[in-house]
Amino acid sequence: VRVHGGAVVAEFGSLVNPGTSVPPAITELTGISDQMLTSAPPVADVLPAVLAFAEGSVLAAHNAPFDLAFLTAACAGMGCDWPGFEVLDTVRLARHLMATPQEVPDRKLATLASFFGTPVRPSHRALDDARATAVVLGELLGRLTDRVGVMTLDDLDGWLAARDAETAARYSAARDAADARPGAESVLERWLGWLLRALRRH
């Protein structure tokens, strides 16, 4: 889904024949069956069109590393370089902008889509999920603009890096405080204790 100025301006969708059977669990999750993919093109035919569609854009995805792993692997399998798009992860944005449990119980795409009332609900199918993600992204960017005045991609990159650093520091401080309690075991000590108990059982 290509978005410009807050409006959807184009969409791209295609099934892909993976060259192997679809696991039953995936069919149950997505509704995609082997029969649906019989006449679908292979990834080598679809990926160039996807990259051309996305050219010049910032890619946005919910849990982006998961999606990027498939795309970059497909590029590598075809012997072509990944274009190196700038990427926004809506999960990462939501972690810093959505309060849990006060606003939402979690930051799953379906949860955020329901909270923001997206016209299309996620269905574990690429186009529906992309449509929902586009709306969620717009809502999260609106919060950024209203709350902290982030207006550019450079601003956003800096803001996210600062928030990530603050979160890491809080986790580190909490872990250090737990380890410093009188009688508290270190992580290593707990792991060694578990290993010794497991070895004794066997």
Side-chain angles (χ1 to χ4, degrees), residues 81-87:
D81 294 329
W82 174 248
F85 294 99
E86 180 87 27
V87 178

Side-chain angles (χ1 to χ4, degrees), residues 20-156:
T20 186
S21 295
V22 180
I26 298 301
T27 297
E28 183 177 351
L29 181 68
T30 65
I32 298 173
S33 65
D34 288 334
Q35 291 76 15
M36 294 170 63
L37 302 180
T38 300
S39 60
V43 68
D45 289 349
V46 178
L47 186 60
V50 172
L51 298 180
F53 179 80
E55 186 177 1
S57 301
V58 175
L59 296 188
H62 203 71
N63 191 22
F66 179 83
D67 297 301
L68 287 176
F70 287 99
L71 291 169
T72 54
C75 278
M78 293 171 55
C80 63
D81 294 329
W82 174 248
F85 294 99
E86 180 87 27
V87 178
L88 285 180
D89 187 349
T90 47
V91 168
R92 186 181 176 203
L93 282 171
R95 284 182 184 138
H96 297 306
L97 291 167
M98 303 294 295
T100 57
Q102 297 90 337
E103 286 186 295
V104 290
D106 55 58
R107 281 90 171 209
K108 295 177 181 177
L109 180 57
T111 302
L112 298 178
S114 178
F115 180 85
F116 290 121
T118 62
V120 177
R121 296 302 170 89
S123 63
H124 298 289
R125 295 286 291 270
L127 190 53
D128 281 351
D129 287 7
R131 288 166 174 159
T133 299
V135 175
V136 168
L137 176 64
E139 294 287 348
L140 294 174
L141 292 179
R143 285 188 170 210
L144 273 171
T145 301
D146 294 341
R147 293 180 181 181
V148 293
V150 167
M151 298 296 292
T152 68
L153 193 57
D154 286 342
D155 291 343
L156 178 55

Side-chain angles (χ1 to χ4, degrees), residues 155-167:
D155 291 343
L156 178 55
D157 287 341
W159 184 84
L160 282 170
R163 300 295 79 71
D164 287 345
E166 289 173 2
T167 300

